[in-house]
Amino acid sequence: MLLRRPFTLFVLTLTTGLLTARLGLAQAVPAKLSPAQLQPDARLLRSMLDQLHPGLYRHVDSIKIAKQFADLEAQWAKPQALSDAYRDLSITLAGIRDAHTYANPANQSKAVQTALFQRATCVPFHFRLIDKRMIVTSALDSVALPRGTEVTRLNDNSITSVVDTLLAATRGDGANDANRLSRLELTGLEPIETFDMLLPLFLPVGRTFTLEVKASDKATARTLTVPAVTARAREATLSTRRGGTANLKWRLNSLDGRTIRLTFPDFVTWRDAKFDWKKWLADSFNTIRQLKADAVILDLRQCEGGNDEVVTELLRYLAPKPFNRVPERMLWRVDHFAPNQLQFLDTWNPALKTMTAADFVATSDGYFERRSDRAARVPIRPHAQAFTGKVYALCSPRNSSASFQLLQELQANHIATLVGQPTGGNRRGTTGGQFVMLRLPNTGFEVDVPLIAHSPIRAQPDQGLEPDEEVAFTVEDLRTGTDPDIARVRELLRDERTER
């Protein structure tokens, strides 16, 4: 049973002048942060999370949360290098076991990003983690690492020990470690990747890496020295090899004339102002109708999340008849922001700063539900020309936010057959939808704080979604370029079409 105890709130009003006066220090990014800078930020973080975070005690009880923050304050009772302080903060936030609560590297100040994430401390290759085995998928031409090479040691450390060390600071929901492992892969999909960010915080990195590698399972291991590079230099080469950023956008392709695959690397619709995503969906499903396709494959394996509205639109194109969405509560901890909170908060949605108690309804268990959220949970009504054929959705541990919500709706309402590996996210509930960025004024760090907890009506297990057709992905599949998920869909379609 999870315990919820009110935390004695840090008295923000008594510290406002002190903290605001130190804002200049955050811009300078000093080589060492003093306890006088660190500890007020630790207490501010704990207080603001307790006030704002609706899922703080969902996966970890209040006793453990208190212990984690006591450990952070004890660690920050000593002077800390910026990198060490960021590492400690990341460990503490990962301990909450909520995938949307983290010191988001993309939202840090330019000074912090320059100091921590733009150095030549990155490995010169991409990789997948398969059963905690590091398998190269692509590498710079200057290093002899063909696709499928296994890296068994990094400097003096086994890959298993490296992965286990970094997992302690890797975000994820509840007990879903498969999602955390997927975040530690280097894929080129994120502006700042988790492995790049965490490795130099935990392990010393010099100008080179010493690798122990094997070309195959039966091959003799050899030692190789490769340069440490910046992420920007690595991606400049490897993204070009993938076909540039255009290769990462939404795609439609025909597999056999009757089967259409729609690939969604993400649901992020705000990065490209010229991309009319609703028109893209309308045009794509019009193409599907013109081709008289009888099967659609949604390839969501690389997709974490993004715009929740994409989920609704896809459901309207895929549902053959109206249906009710999976029942859930959308819970907030606050119905407005006080001035002494707003001074530490940024947001991409200015409307959050002006919301009032009139926008909310109090619940019997101490939360709030926003009236507009309640109104949004209406039945899904299909588009007039919605697809009525067979739908398959390819899933993976990366699906942990909006993609998790889509897969959950597709499976629960029998709209699609899920094929692949168990998902990220958590059936016990996730957070997301609206966020604020908490600025810790003394250290200059930023923490993403979700404002909405998606909570199931009935108790659910602490795990992701199980696919209807679970398919293992092996090292040999990667080496040979085999796609076992697509192969399984082809088998299912062959059987489906034979039975007609």
Side-chain angles (χ1 to χ4, degrees), residues 194-442:
T194 301
F195 188 87
D196 286 339
M197 175 183 75
L198 294 180
L199 183 67
L201 302 182
F202 285 87
L203 301 172
V205 176
R207 294 184 177 180
T208 61
F209 293 100
T210 300
L211 308 180
E212 183 181 89
V213 301
K214 295 173 63 176
S216 67
D217 293 348
K218 295 181 180 180
T220 301
R222 61 189 177 92
T223 300
L224 182 69
T225 299
V226 300
V229 299
T230 64
R232 180 177 296 179
R234 181 189 63 212
E235 297 311 312
T237 297
L238 297 188
S239 66
T240 301
R241 191 176 298 170
R242 288 196 307 270
T245 56
N247 194 48
L248 299 180
K249 292 190 180 296
W250 297 2
R251 303 187 295 280
L252 179 152
N253 66 290
S254 175
L255 296 189
D256 59 15
R258 300 173 62 186
T259 306
I260 300 298
R261 175 161 64 175
L262 300 176
T263 302
F264 297 93
D266 59 45
F267 293 153
V268 177
T269 59
W270 52 83
R271 287 180 183 158
D272 184 354
K274 296 181 180 179
F275 179 47
D276 187 340
W277 65 271
K278 288 187 177 181
K279 183 178 185 301
W280 189 94
L281 288 179
D283 290 346
S284 295
F285 280 93
N286 184 53
T287 298
I288 290 169
R289 287 193 298 274
Q290 291 176 348
L291 294 174
K292 298 182 180 180
D294 62 357
V296 165
I297 300 172
L298 296 181
D299 192 341
L300 303 171
R301 290 174 292 182
Q302 294 180 333
C303 183
E304 179 179 357
N307 186 351
D308 292 343
E309 194 178 354
V310 176
V311 174
T312 302
E313 280 296 292
L314 276 170
L315 290 172
R316 294 189 65 203
Y317 279 111
L318 296 170
K321 59 184 179 181
F323 67 93
N324 292 317
R325 298 193 65 168
V326 174
E328 68 173 13
R329 302 169 72 203
M330 298 175 68
L331 302 176
W332 298 59
R333 284 298 308 277
V334 292
D335 60 357
H336 70 284
F337 293 114
N340 63 353
Q341 295 171 329
L342 283 173
Q343 64 181 311
F344 302 110
L345 303 178
D346 286 335
T347 176
W348 298 113
N349 181 7
L352 291 174
K353 295 184 177 183
T354 58
M355 64 187 189
T356 68
D359 300 324
F360 291 83
V361 175
T363 69
S364 59
D365 51 353
Y367 291 93
F368 298 95
E369 289 183 297
R370 193 168 59 170
R371 296 180 191 274
S372 60
D373 291 339
R374 284 184 166 186
R377 300 296 293 182
V378 297
I380 296 292
R381 300 196 177 280
H383 282 290
Q385 301 297 321
F387 180 71
T388 57
K390 191 70 177 177
V391 181
Y392 297 91
L394 307 186
C395 56
S396 79
R398 188 169 174 82
N399 306 134
S400 58
S401 187
S403 62
F404 172 85
Q405 294 174 15
L406 174 61
L407 290 164
Q408 187 177 42
E409 297 285 358
L410 292 173
Q411 187 177 58
N413 292 286
H414 308 290
I415 297 170
T417 300
L418 272 57
V419 179
Q421 295 79 52
T423 71
N426 203 290
R427 291 174 60 190
R428 184 181 282 178
T430 59
T431 59
Q434 297 291 345
F435 295 85
V436 287
M437 292 170 281
L438 172 60
R439 302 289 179 183
L440 302 178
N442 298 301

